[in-house]
Amino acid sequence: MTRSDLVARLAERFGQLTQRDAEFAVKTMLDAMSEALARGHRIEIRGFGSFSINRRPPRMGRNPRSGEQVLIPEKLVPHFKPGKGLREGVDRAELGTTAELTEVAPKIQS
């Protein structure tokens, strides 16, 4: 799902929202989340998951072209940890798909 898909789904689900209003709502929410992470805050959305910042320590790497060692500096990277509800929902959806395939597969082979 892309950002524009999300905007379209939001506008479709809530008829009183225009496409422009839905786009503004999604942009505002994503901007607020980005700013919070940039300030080092943690974002927790119950049932969905949490966003935090992980520190990657400096390390030695190799230049693939020359083979020489290069120092890769420390980085702060965003990290997403799915919540229990999201994990279980994805697992149920995946199991449903797998179950459907196992029911269809014997019919195809016959």
Side-chain angles (χ1 to χ4, degrees), residues 40-80:
H41 296 285
R42 183 173 183 272
I43 301 168
E44 182 178 329
I45 303 170
R46 300 279 166 133
F48 183 73
S50 61
F51 297 87
S52 59
I53 298 294
N54 279 358
R55 178 184 165 272
R56 285 191 189 159
R59 61 188 172 90
M60 291 302 288
R62 289 197 178 273
N63 180 334
R65 188 170 281 180
S66 66
E68 74 179 67
Q69 288 192 334
V70 178
L71 176 64
I72 300 171
E74 172 182 78
K75 285 185 178 185
L76 297 177
V77 294
H79 174 75
F80 174 72

Side-chain angles (χ1 to χ4, degrees), residues 18-61:
T18 64
Q19 188 82 8
R20 176 179 258 162
D21 291 339
E23 189 172 334
F24 180 73
V26 169
K27 181 183 181 331
T28 302
M29 186 181 77
L30 294 176
D31 287 348
M33 291 173 71
S34 296
E35 289 172 18
L37 286 172
R39 289 191 309 264
H41 296 285
R42 183 173 183 272
I43 301 168
E44 182 178 329
I45 303 170
R46 300 279 166 133
F48 183 73
S50 61
F51 297 87
S52 59
I53 298 294
N54 279 358
R55 178 184 165 272
R56 285 191 189 159
R59 61 188 172 90
M60 291 302 288

Side-chain angles (χ1 to χ4, degrees), residues 3 12 74-75 87 93 101:
R3 183 179 185 151
E12 181 182 301
E74 172 182 78
K75 285 185 178 185
R87 281 194 319 268
L101 290 175

